[in-house]
Amino acid sequence: EQEGGVLPTGPAFFEAAKTFRETNSPSRNLRENAGANWADQMGFVDGELKYAAVTFRTTVSVEGIGSQTWKVRDVLKDWVDSKLSLSPALMQSVKYHGGFVFTGLDMGDELLDGFLSGCMVSVPVAMLVLLIATRNYIVASYATLCIGSV
């Protein structure tokens, strides 16, 4: 009765999910593109549903990380956040990943943050060292500006 009907809730939902997992198989397209099967997508441990996975495919280029990839990640994050507000208390842990594509985004973001933090520490330290060494504000400022422009 799920197609166009009312979805089961509470204990009936878990029973329906277990029955669905045992009696249905993913479409051929899903198996070929994501290597999916319901045993991997819906995890029952000791008869209880412990995790569920949603697999999808996008046209985001894996070769280059650009603004399109950032937008896809943000849309996915917003979608996950909207589903969390509707989820039961036991299903509030939602994680999403895009393989190495999102990892590259996060790593690049962290490298940039680290670089900027390093600059905020090193420029004043360089200025202070040059000021102590030269005892001249003009030379220390000019040298710090030269160091920063490299």
Side-chain angles (χ1 to χ4, degrees):
E1 191 175 78
Q2 281 81 3
E3 292 188 30
V6 178
L7 290 173
T9 59
F13 169 79
F14 297 109
E15 279 304 314
K18 191 173 184 179
T19 302
F20 175 82
R21 180 179 181 240
E22 294 169 356
T23 59
N24 291 285
S25 65
S27 69
R28 182 176 149 244
N29 188 31
L30 183 61
R31 281 192 311 271
E32 289 175 357
N33 292 315
N37 63 57
W38 293 135
D40 293 337
Q41 302 287 339
M42 303 169 70
F44 282 88
V45 177
D46 297 329
E48 294 182 11
L49 181 63
K50 294 294 185 178
Y51 69 88
V54 177
T55 304
F56 67 94
R57 191 171 71 171
T58 70
T59 58
V60 174
S61 172
V62 177
E63 300 300 321
I65 296 174
S67 63
Q68 180 186 12
T69 311
W70 285 100
K71 290 176 188 174
V72 169
R73 187 185 73 165
D74 292 344
V75 166
L76 181 60
K77 184 181 182 311
D78 292 344
W79 181 84
V80 166
D81 290 344
S82 73
K83 298 305 173 197
L84 277 178
S85 64
L86 303 172
S87 299
L90 294 175
M91 297 182 78
Q92 289 293 316
S93 174
V94 176
K95 296 167 182 60
Y96 59 92
H97 68 88
F100 293 109
V101 176
F102 292 157
T103 304
L105 289 176
D106 292 334
M107 185 172 60
D109 199 28
E110 291 301 319
L111 286 172
L112 184 60
D113 285 347
F115 169 75
L116 295 175
S117 297
C119 287
M120 288 191 303
V121 170
S122 65
V123 169
V125 169
M127 176 70 174
L128 183 64
V129 168
L130 288 166
L131 191 57
I132 292 170
T134 63
R135 294 185 184 150
N136 186 329
Y137 288 105
I138 296 171
V139 172
S141 299
Y142 184 69
T144 303
L145 183 65
C146 290
I147 291 169
S149 61
V150 171

